[in-house]
Amino acid sequence: MSTLLVRTDYSDDSAWQAAVDAVTAVHDSADDESFGALMQVVEAPELDGLTPEDLALLPRAGYLSLLAVADARTMIDHTIVFVDLSEHNEQVGRTFRAVPREVEPITVNLALANMDFFDFADAADPDGVFRGFAAPEPEA
């Protein structure tokens, strides 16, 4: 149930390691027990500078519905770009960013088909970053 984490920025190895550590860390969760996001790191310098859109267009040997990308911005703020590759909808290439503490819930819920990509993408803040679902409004 690991998700590919593709590195597309090779400008700073220590920033890269800090980003991987932040994304795979065990974050406290009031709802569930956390084990840390299971990410399969992909380091291929030939991918340096590619955008999520570029990656979505690359040929794949097998079926892949989701991709996580660590780009130049990731090296600064540790947000990860998620890219929808599912051919079962009409949103291939759709993206959103997520803060590190939300990476594990996203990857687990998508892998188990508890939720869909659009559930997270639609809940991202206006800046395109998913920081979690808003608490429901109390009933009056």
Side-chain angles (χ1 to χ4, degrees):
M1 285 193 9
S2 66
T3 300
L4 295 180
L5 175 61
V6 178
R7 181 180 183 184
T8 63
D9 180 274
Y10 287 80
S11 63
D12 186 339
D13 288 339
S14 58
W16 160 243
Q17 190 57 56
V20 171
D21 291 346
V23 168
T24 58
V26 175
H27 297 277
D28 290 333
S29 172
D31 299 332
D32 298 306
E33 190 172 349
S34 178
F35 299 100
L38 297 175
M39 307 299 282
Q40 183 177 341
V41 172
V42 176
E43 291 190 78
E46 60 270 19
L47 301 176
D48 188 28
L50 292 184
T51 66
E53 295 79 13
D54 296 333
L55 294 171
L57 295 174
L58 292 176
R60 295 179 288 282
Y63 182 74
L64 187 63
S65 64
L66 176 70
L67 191 63
V69 180
D71 60 7
R73 179 171 165 186
T74 304
M75 304 309 159
I76 297 166
D77 67 7
H78 298 165
T79 59
I80 295 296
V81 181
F82 282 97
V83 184
D84 189 356
L85 299 178
S86 176
E87 296 170 0
H88 299 291
N89 62 41
E90 296 178 10
Q91 298 186 23
V92 172
R94 185 175 183 193
T95 64
F96 68 92
R97 286 188 172 276
V99 295
R101 75 175 176 278
E102 295 299 332
V103 171
E104 179 185 7
I106 292 167
T107 58
V108 168
N109 280 293
L110 292 177
L112 296 174
N114 287 336
M115 299 178 82
D116 292 312
F117 188 93
F118 68 82
D119 292 315
F120 297 101
D122 291 350
D125 291 339
D127 64 356
V129 179
F130 179 78
R131 294 178 175 87
F133 292 104
E137 296 283 330
E139 292 186 30

